[in-house]
């Protein structure tokens, strides 16, 4: 896939103008364009009378290698980066100890989810009730008072 950046069109452009801008930028015919996906859309409102939409598009074409070679010096035509999430680790098959996540808040739940997706059999503990009677120490100038 090819990533096209800085495709500028008027604010009130027609839907078909995006594909026409792709064809014009790459210098290809309609039958060579297989599909495209809008990755990002931004606005250029620096001129009040001429507001533009700026698109970043991921484009699938037939002759991708040839086009990338043709546009090697163009900073707005590059290979689409790999955006797939890659897990940091995979749980070993012979894991005997289990990781412990303390806290059932948003961060604790997310940590438990990530560990589960990596194959760990984690323990989630919520210890709020156990420490409910501990007096809270106020923060003074960003440091805890002891």
């Amino acid at each position: 896939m090819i990533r096209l950046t800085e495709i500028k069109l008027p604010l009130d452009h027609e839907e078909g103008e995006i594909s026409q801008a792709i064809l014009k930028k790459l210098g290809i015919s309609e039958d060579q364009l297989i599909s495209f996906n809008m990755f990002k859309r931004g606005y250029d409102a620096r001129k009040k009378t001429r507001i533009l939409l700026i698109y970043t598009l991921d484009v699938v074409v037939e002759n991708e290698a040839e086009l990338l070679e043709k546009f090697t010096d163009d900073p707005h035509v590059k290979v689409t980066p790999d955006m797939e999430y890659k897990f940091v680790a995979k749980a070993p098959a012979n894991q005997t100890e289990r990781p412990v996540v303390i806290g059932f808040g948003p961060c604790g739940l997310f940590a438990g989810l990530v560990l589960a997706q990596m194959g760990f059999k984690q323990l989630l503990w919520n210890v709020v009730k156990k420490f409910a009677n501990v007096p809270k120490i106020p923060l003074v100038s960003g440091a805890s008072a002891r």
Side-chain angles (χ1 to χ4, degrees):
M1 230 183 317
I2 297 175
R3 171 141 314 160
L4 296 178
T5 58
E6 297 289 322
I7 301 295
K8 297 178 182 182
L9 294 172
L11 186 61
D12 57 348
H13 71 81
E14 298 292 324
E15 189 173 327
E17 289 183 48
I18 297 175
S19 59
Q20 293 302 318
I22 294 169
L23 298 175
K24 181 179 177 185
K25 175 70 176 174
L26 296 177
I28 59 175
S29 63
E30 280 189 56
D31 57 318
Q32 291 175 308
L33 177 63
I34 297 171
S35 67
F36 68 90
N37 182 34
M38 186 187 316
F39 179 73
K40 185 171 84 170
R41 180 180 67 189
Y43 297 91
D44 182 359
R46 291 179 287 181
K47 295 181 181 174
K48 205 183 253 188
T49 58
R50 190 170 176 252
I51 298 175
L52 298 174
L53 290 171
I54 302 174
Y55 291 99
T56 299
L57 305 167
D58 292 332
V59 181
V60 179
V61 292
E62 287 182 359
N63 51 349
E64 181 179 323
E66 295 171 17
L67 286 173
L68 287 171
E69 187 176 318
K70 177 181 173 182
F71 290 99
T72 52
D73 296 332
D74 190 341
H76 303 297
V77 180
K78 297 292 178 195
V79 176
T80 301
D82 183 12
M83 302 291 286
E84 187 177 329
Y85 180 75
K86 308 238 182 332
F87 290 107
V88 181
K90 181 87 173 131
N94 57 354
Q95 178 86 22
T96 56
E97 296 175 347
R98 296 171 67 179
V100 177
V101 178
I102 299 175
F104 223 63
C107 292
L109 286 175
F110 183 71
L113 171 70
V114 171
L115 287 168
Q117 288 175 339
M118 289 190 289
F120 289 98
K121 294 182 172 132
Q122 75 285 359
L123 292 172
L124 282 169
W125 286 354
N126 194 17
V127 292
V128 173
K129 290 183 181 180
K130 187 174 184 179
F131 295 106
N133 296 329
V134 175
K136 305 237 189 288
I137 301 173
L139 294 178
V140 179
S141 300
S144 61
R146 293 183 186 227

